[in-house]
Amino acid sequence: MKTLITQYIEEIRNARIEDFKDKAAEVEQFRVRFLGRKGVMNELFEQFKALPNEQKKEMGIALNELKNAAMAKVEEFKNFVEEKMDTDGCHDLTMPADFAQRGSRHVLSVTMNEIAEIFARIGFTIEEGPEIEDDYHVFTALNFALDHPARDMQDTFFIEKEPNVNKPTDVLLRTHTSGVQVRVMERQKPPIRVIMPGRVFRNEAISARAHCIFHQVEGLYVDKKVTFADLKQTLLYFAKEMFGPDTQIRLRPSYFPFTEPSAEMDISCNICGGKGCNICKGTGWLEILGCGMVDPNVLDACGIDSKEYTGFAFGMGVERMAMLKYQIRDLRLYFENDLRFLHQFDNII
Ligand code: PHE
């Protein structure tokens, strides 16, 4: 019995927590093996009781030593598990943490979401449409006659095209989000109050100020008695929410085939506050969007009675909004995925 006890003591002293894989569970197994009800300790104690009295003193001391060794070891193991291990016992919490690099949204997504949110607050819902469109939805239904020169304003990427003729069935990459207006009006009765964010494509040489892919957010409001005053107030509200409460707007007459009258909207320069600086080229104003009252021809083409209903529409470039808001100088930065650029916007949402 003495040798057995000595062996156990030896085993206990040599036990190392590092050898345990599932540490918390193995520590418990270790405790049960030595100190549990049917464990080594109790078993030896039963044998001890049967010993002749003259051996009891020596064995008693040895057993005590074994018990103390087991208890001390279990205590040591438990402390280790509690202090250094997390609950599933797999990680050493004293290890230096791995740096978890968090992803972030692209500045264009953030800007697009912000624009959508501002309009959502005044009851606009979001609609999306296809990027591969047909001529009918992008041009014809929007009052671009088949030979209308305004088609040339938008350098279209064609996918399937009749040679030398524009056909409503031509398949193309949409050059603006205005085609979604048509799709919404075709299937929904007024009141319609939607904004339509999306990617658009134009066959332009890539430079700091132009790209062949960019993003627009379009807005459309059609109901009885919608007036130009509604358009102006809606856009003033938007400009103040987007660029700050002191922002002013001005509208300049312009031309789009699908709106009449049409306007281009400027905001007071958010850098110099309107005094004139190199961002606004000394004018104090920055052009941000196109807008107008939906041309009655467009309403009629979409099955909405233009005698009963009126509407306004507007469209803005998301890249331009973000450029003005965050003073980004070069459009190409948006698409190059240079981390030094992307990380500058980690905290904007
Ligand atoms: N679709 C126009 C463009 O791409 C913008 C616009 C939208 C203008 C809606 C008026 C109304 O330039």
Side-chain angles (χ1 to χ4, degrees), residues 154 175-176 178 181 202 216 218-219 256 258-259 290-292 313-315:
Q154 310 200 347
T175 55
H176 57 180
S178 304
Q181 282 188 37
R202 289 187 197 180
Q216 290 188 331
E218 183 105 0
F256 301 101
F258 38 93
T259 47
C291 59
F314 55 86

Side-chain angles (χ1 to χ4, degrees), residues 220-328:
L220 174 70
Y221 181 26
V222 182
D223 203 351
K224 289 181 179 152
K225 300 198 173 84
V226 176
T227 67
F228 203 90
D230 297 318
L231 169 62
K232 236 170 135 175
Q233 286 306 311
T234 304
L235 293 179
L236 176 61
Y237 155 80
F238 166 72
K240 286 178 183 289
E241 291 291 305
M242 189 77 188
F243 293 100
D246 298 330
T247 310
Q248 317 243 304
I249 62 166
R250 78 174 181 189
L251 292 160
R252 285 175 290 106
S254 184
Y255 174 76
F256 301 101
F258 38 93
T259 47
E260 182 60 36
S262 303
E264 211 101 41
M265 185 174 102
D266 300 340
I267 54 166
S268 52
C269 178
N270 59 331
I271 309 299
C272 62
K275 288 191 201 74
C277 65
N278 63 347
I279 302 290
C280 59
K281 300 202 191 73
T283 63
W285 295 97
L286 300 163
E287 181 188 322
I288 66 160
L289 56 79
C291 59
M293 301 306 290
V294 181
D295 192 299
N297 289 345
V298 176
L299 295 174
D300 291 332
C302 298
I304 291 175
D305 184 354
S306 61
K307 293 198 187 60
E308 204 179 336
Y309 294 102
T310 52
F312 66 70
F314 55 86
M316 64 189 93
V318 181
E319 280 76 0
R320 175 138 179 92
M321 292 291 156
M323 276 182 141
L324 296 177
K325 194 151 175 163
Y326 303 110
Q327 282 138 58
I328 298 163

